[in-house]
Amino acid sequence: MGNRIIVIGANAAGAKAAAKARRIDPRAEITVVDRGEFISYGACGIPYYVSDTVADVKELMSTPVGVVRDAAFFRKVKGVEVVTGTEAVAIDRQAKTVTLYERSTGHTVVRHYDRLVLATGSSPSIPPLENMGCPNILTVKTLEDAQLIKEKASPDKSVCIVGGGLIGLETAEALRERGMAVTVVEMREQLLPGILDPEMARLVEKHLQEKGVTVLTGCTVAGFDGTTRVEKAITTKGEVPADLVILAPGVRPNVTLAREAGLTIGETGAIAVNERLQTSDPDIYACGDCCETTHLVTGRKIFVPLGSTANKQGRVAGINAAGGSSTFPGVLGTAIVKVFEMNAGKTGLTEAEARNLGYQVETVLAPAPDRAHFFPGAKPIALKLVADKATGRVLGLQAVGLGAVDKRIDAAVAAITFGATAEQLAQLDLAYAPPYAAAMDNLIVAADILRNKLSGHARGITPAAVKKKLTEEDDFILLDVRSPGEHEEVRIAGAKLIPLGALREKLETLPRDKEIVAFCKVSLRGYEAQKILEAAGYADVKFMDGGILTWPYELEKGARKAE
Amino acid sequence: MGNRIIVIGANAAGAKAAAKARRIDPRAEITVVDRGEFISYGACGIPYYVSDTVADVKELMSTPVGVVRDAAFFRKVKGVEVVTGTEAVAIDRQAKTVTLYERSTGHTVVRHYDRLVLATGSSPSIPPLENMGCPNILTVKTLEDAQLIKEKASPDKSVCIVGGGLIGLETAEALRERGMAVTVVEMREQLLPGILDPEMARLVEKHLQEKGVTVLTGCTVAGFDGTTRVEKAITTKGEVPADLVILAPGVRPNVTLAREAGLTIGETGAIAVNERLQTSDPDIYACGDCCETTHLVTGRKIFVPLGSTANKQGRVAGINAAGGSSTFPGVLGTAIVKVFEMNAGKTGLTEAEARNLGYQVETVLAPAPDRAHFFPGAKPIALKLVADKATGRVLGLQAVGLGAVDKRIDAAVAAITFGATAEQLAQLDLAYAPPYAAAMDNLIVAADILRNKLSGHARGITPAAVKKKLTEEDDFILLDVRSPGEHEEVRIAGAKLIPLGALREKLETLPRDKEIVAFCKVSLRGYEAQKILEAAGYADVKFMDGGILTWPYELEKGARKAE
């Protein structure tokens, strides 16, 4: 086996592949080629560089112990040659050569490889609109982008961010914190599509609004208006002032080089690879944002570009390219984002995704403090679990709130990877002490409710279904079982108040022939009410998932005499 | 099946069992008996009540939404009768009766049961020493204890805490924060025995010392000295001033009632139960601190009393006692504790536990920031993974540091529960964004090093083994591959400095016939150095696990000319 390895792309996946190949084969000749000038930087840190949370761009390019990862570092420490400012423009698979174009000189060289690793990354999927060439329309992908945004982001000016996904929301926070008037425009009916179900996304939207960000969902940008520079965006919901436009659309894999070389492109549009990350040419590997991977719940191919996956894949591609043996099984589509003080994330399938794939699902909405409620600093988070009704298998978790959502996501990642059922999730021996969790962790509580639902003991109804009943003036009783004090503070219009503690005594005030939907703050008392009423012979009783805390619609506020 | 259920004990397990039994059988007659006056409180919150972190004792007794869980609550909401101040003194299994002794009146009543649930809890295992009756010797188990401690804890007075386990350290923090001079006396050679391996425990000990707590390990209390009240503790390491003595020993299960009723007591000393939490009498269940459970890694019976387990077991015992069907598979011995700003926890087996059980183990010590190193607020944590050499199966994780250790513990809990190997742990699709983790989470990095070790690529040596070599003046080279700046700041005496970036050029300064042990701050560069030296033909090269960050011994500090 030959020992010339060329890696195309020097960010997370490429840099990792090169470093790992070196460790496997100390004598290989390893070259990394990148068309940019910066290598191996933390691209996910760019919004934090924009907000000045990260002051020095060098921090994004250094290792945790402060060593800057530049070409000299790779040469001296890793024994890897890095060539920047150079684009790979063609692969000749028969001759096993790559044609490299050096930008500064215009020179072209042809280099031989024994194994090739493609780590060509992804690019924002820019819509074809007028005036796109204007200097105040920018994207958020490279350090060069970030520097431009910082130059153009003046306080008290307005910015229109097109796209309400991860990068769009991170950038909204960054620019709001620089004092700008921020509008986020999202084509779909909700923020974070593909990451959160609508009612969970609504919690994030509320938080953005509280922070002074204007959110327009179900809103398409038709074009931009201005002369030498854009002054406003024209949208289906009217004009949006825009001294600056940030495009934060989804990304698409950079596959031109691979496609032109005749490599198979998968149904997702990314480079097709097997578990060893081999492309359709056994001497060419692909890793990171340019290739597709497998969803561990569905077994289907998906395209989920992410720095964490890129690192794992780089390791596998590097080992295999150097003659070792390693595999990458796939991902769960895990994602997480900080939006001001709110944390939002998911792993596995959302309810919408699961239903689209044909699963019969059961779901739970469980809001609760993120640690012992009596411990200072406890903050609310809401979990949404999605399970397969037939098997009880957990398909996904979403988590949104001011508290520690990442911990619950990560525990669910491990559980879902191993095919955990709601039963198994509920039994996990999670770490407990008051500063970290309640005696029953949020995940355990959610899994217990899920078990109760799957076994038929708990009968839930979604906030959306309750809202529909209210709107359509269905003849049902919406029963608030909170305390009079809680009811006075905030309530759902039309709800009847009977505090849970008084319910057994006041049964005569509830008709037996009507549907009853009970709720409280988080709906644990709502579930208690269901059980009390059922025991008393009421036939059609449910509780509303999540209670007041995750009710995504209007609430009445302030003192009102309890009914 | 009859419907009279008596639950003995009204804390976590008992209260949960009663509530769950009610949900399963709305018509059962359910009575909970407790010898104390407080019911269903968060006993784990007691140290935080002592420190005034939790101001009002009611907070410990209320639900997350602020409802106080007293007898009236249980009667009205749960439909469960609660009898406090009443001790169950005998069980007649033939007659199916319990004899109850009401303290205030001295009355005794005999009550019939169809199903009995024992949730009798545990008690501190107090050593038999002189003067134990003195009024200034207290334990930390009940709310009554906590109130006494608060009365007696004066600033500028001294307290001797006997026991360096979870409760001992939490109480040390609580009383230090009340301004007391605190000494912790621990019989074993390390703090948190059974929870952390010695080198991890040393990190906690250092932190306590930085906070002004005196720690005496390997130190036994021989007795207490004083007239009407203790004034000092007499220990094997001398006299310890003690205006107050807190006994924080391990706990033992309360099994007298069960034993006298002829129920089987397990080898752990706790009540033996099957997966349904049935005792040797099929009509009597046990849950919580009084019963033993199964370790999910070893399959052996263990006694690990914990509030989180008590809640899970209470649910299972309640369901089964009411005629339903549920099982409790076991635990991983997960534990976590906050000690001032430091967090320390474990799940599964420690290295010491695994070796005692006969496993051939491989271990990894991996310190790193708890999120992207460039993100403000990133704090260091050190992970120690323990794996079975033969199978690569992960046996346990310990985590210590100022950052988020609980998240890594919980992800490992789920992974270890399902028998994850190092390979599988390294591939988990954990949530990644800079505010939450590095692109390669601490757990992934640790698992990767473990994979490298298990495959023979990485050759580690423990800090303890290096210390032994230094002490015994072995002829080896301890090679510091950090930067000159890092070396000047802090270093291990006797180490030779060659920064990693210069290593390839300075090979001639290293003899080829000696053992070389490379290290850096966290030992990722140490591992790089091993690979570089091996590639250059050096035969006996290792790296030191964990690097400077987890070196548990003396360090030289301050400027010194680099060698």
Side-chain angles (χ1 to χ4, degrees), chain A residues 323-353:
Chain A
S325 180
S326 188
T327 58
F328 182 74
V331 301
L332 287 173
T334 312
I336 191 164
V337 64
K338 174 182 169 297
V339 186
F340 295 97
E341 283 98 65
M342 187 162 262
N343 310 297
K346 80 117 160 186
T347 188
L349 303 178
T350 61
E351 181 181 357
E353 287 172 333

Side-chain angles (χ1 to χ4, degrees), chain B residues 251-262:
Chain B
V251 297
R252 56 171 183 223
N254 296 329
V255 299
T256 309
L257 185 66
R259 181 183 283 123
E260 288 176 355

Side-chain angles (χ1 to χ4, degrees), chain A residues 16 20 22-24 26-27 44-45 48 53-54 59-60 62-65 67 75-79 170 306-309 311-312 315-316 326-334 336-338 342-343 369 373-376 406-407 409-411 413-415 417-418 420 423-424 426-436 439-440 444 448 451-452 457 500-501 504-505 521-522 525 527-528 531-532 535, chain B residues 16 20 22-24 26-27 44-45 48 53-54 59-60 62-65 67 75-79 170 306-309 311-312 315-316 326-334 336-338 342-343 369 373-376 406-407 409-411 413-415 417-418 420 423-424 426-436 439-440 444 448 451-452 457 500-501 504-505 521-522 525 527-528 531-532 535:
Chain A
K16 185 81 185 176
K20 195 65 202 176
R22 163 61 65 236
R23 290 186 193 166
I24 295 293
R27 277 159 296 278
C44 314
Y48 304 102
T53 302
V54 175
E59 292 178 54
L60 298 182
S62 63
T63 68
V65 292
V67 180
R75 191 177 61 248
K76 282 180 162 178
V77 172
K78 307 277 182 182
E170 284 173 346
L306 205 60
S308 50
T309 304
N311 270 286
K312 294 190 190 92
R315 187 181 201 273
V316 171
S326 188
T327 58
F328 182 74
V331 301
L332 287 173
T334 312
I336 191 164
V337 64
K338 174 182 169 297
M342 187 162 262
N343 310 297
H373 65 275
F374 56 76
F375 200 84
D406 55 336
K407 175 163 81 163
I409 297 280
D410 277 0
V413 164
T417 297
F418 290 96
E423 173 79 24
Q424 291 172 315
Q427 304 274 24
L428 288 180
D429 188 18
L430 300 175
Y432 165 56
Y436 308 99
M440 297 188 66
I444 306 288
D448 271 347
R451 285 205 277 180
N452 292 339
H457 283 110
L500 184 65
R504 285 174 199 273
E505 300 154 10
K521 189 173 174 187
V522 305
R525 281 173 290 173
Y527 173 44
E528 294 274 7
K531 299 311 283 184
I532 289 170
Chain B
K16 185 81 187 175
K20 194 67 200 175
R22 163 62 64 236
R23 289 187 195 167
I24 294 294
R27 277 158 298 278
C44 313
Y48 303 102
T53 302
V54 175
E59 292 179 55
L60 298 183
S62 62
T63 68
V65 292
V67 180
R75 192 178 58 249
K76 282 180 162 177
V77 171
K78 307 279 182 182
E170 284 174 346
L306 205 60
S308 49
T309 304
N311 269 286
K312 294 190 190 91
R315 186 180 201 276
V316 170
S326 188
T327 58
F328 181 74
V331 301
L332 287 173
T334 311
I336 192 164
V337 63
K338 174 182 168 299
M342 187 163 262
N343 310 298
H373 65 276
F374 55 76
F375 201 83
D406 55 337
K407 176 164 82 162
I409 297 280
D410 278 0
V413 164
T417 297
F418 290 96
E423 174 77 26
Q424 290 172 316
Q427 303 274 25
L428 289 180
D429 187 17
L430 300 175
Y432 166 54
Y436 309 99
M440 298 187 66
I444 306 287
D448 271 347
R451 287 205 276 180
N452 291 338
H457 283 110
L500 184 65
R504 285 173 199 275
E505 301 153 9
K521 188 172 176 186
V522 305
R525 282 173 290 172
Y527 173 45
E528 294 274 8
K531 299 312 283 183
I532 289 171

Side-chain angles (χ1 to χ4, degrees), chain B residues 14-322:
Chain B
K16 185 81 187 175
K20 194 67 200 175
R22 163 62 64 236
R23 289 187 195 167
I24 294 294
D25 183 353
R27 277 158 298 278
E29 181 191 315
I30 304 171
T31 308
V32 183
V33 177
D34 199 278
R35 62 181 175 184
E37 295 302 333
F38 298 107
I39 60 169
S40 193
Y41 61 84
C44 313
I46 288 178
Y48 303 102
Y49 176 57
V50 170
S51 67
D52 289 337
T53 302
V54 175
D56 187 347
V57 69
K58 281 214 172 64
E59 292 179 55
L60 298 183
M61 299 172 62
S62 62
T63 68
V65 292
V67 180
V68 173
R69 294 159 65 91
D70 56 13
F73 169 85
F74 274 89
R75 192 178 58 249
K76 282 180 162 177
V77 171
K78 307 279 182 182
V80 164
E81 183 197 357
V82 178
V83 184
T84 56
T86 297
E87 190 154 11
V89 292
I91 300 167
D92 183 336
R93 289 164 53 203
Q94 262 63 46
K96 297 186 97 168
T97 60
V98 184
T99 305
L100 303 177
Y101 170 77
E102 193 183 353
R103 280 190 190 169
S104 58
T105 61
H107 285 175
T108 289
V109 291
V110 175
R111 299 258 305 239
H112 178 80
Y113 68 82
D114 293 297
R115 297 284 185 287
L116 189 64
V117 177
L118 300 179
T120 46
S122 59
S123 301
S125 178
I126 305 295
L129 291 173
E130 263 186 281
N131 292 325
M132 291 298 287
C134 280
N136 61 334
I137 301 186
L138 299 171
T139 59
V140 199
K141 179 72 184 165
T142 65
L143 280 176
E144 290 87 344
D145 295 337
Q147 281 164 346
L148 273 176
I149 293 173
K150 286 174 80 152
E151 282 164 25
K152 291 178 190 291
S154 320
D156 307 320
K157 297 271 180 167
S158 61
V159 56
C160 173
I161 297 175
V162 183
L166 300 169
I167 299 288
L169 298 194
E170 284 174 346
T171 308
E173 177 187 344
L175 294 178
R176 184 76 191 129
E177 297 206 333
R178 291 188 83 93
M180 299 190 79
V182 179
T183 303
V184 174
V185 177
E186 167 58 46
M187 197 167 51
R188 310 242 215 132
E189 295 295 334
Q190 63 161 91
L191 294 177
L192 296 170
I195 293 176
L196 298 179
D197 283 319
E199 76 277 26
M200 299 295 276
R202 182 76 186 109
L203 302 174
V204 178
E205 187 178 338
K206 276 185 176 176
H207 187 67
L208 277 163
Q209 287 162 342
E210 285 164 17
K211 296 295 176 182
V213 173
T214 304
V215 177
L216 301 175
T217 54
C219 176
T220 306
V221 173
F224 299 105
D225 205 12
T227 48
T228 55
R229 51 194 297 290
V230 170
E231 280 155 21
K232 57 197 175 199
I234 315 298
T235 80
T236 51
K237 288 195 171 176
E239 293 182 357
V240 173
D243 299 310
L244 180 63
V245 172
I246 306 285
L247 301 177
V251 297
R252 56 171 183 223
N254 296 329
V255 299
T256 309
L257 185 66
R259 181 183 283 123
E260 288 176 355
L263 298 177
T264 303
I265 305 300
E267 60 191 90
T268 65
I271 302 171
V273 288
N274 63 16
E275 265 209 338
R276 300 188 71 234
L277 301 187
Q278 240 166 353
T279 67
S280 53
D281 181 328
D283 289 326
I284 303 181
Y285 295 83
C287 54
D289 289 13
C290 65
C291 71
E292 60 184 25
T293 183
T294 304
H295 196 290
L296 292 171
V297 170
T298 67
R300 291 171 180 237
K301 291 295 173 190
I302 49 163
F303 171 63
V304 189
L306 205 60
S308 49
T309 304
N311 269 286
K312 294 190 190 91
Q313 291 182 327
R315 186 180 201 276
V316 170
I319 289 173
N320 291 331

Side-chain angles (χ1 to χ4, degrees), chain A residues 221-240:
Chain A
V221 174
F224 299 104
D225 206 11
T227 49
T228 55
R229 49 193 300 289
V230 170
E231 281 155 19
K232 57 198 174 196
I234 315 298
T235 80
T236 50
K237 289 196 172 175
E239 293 182 357
V240 173

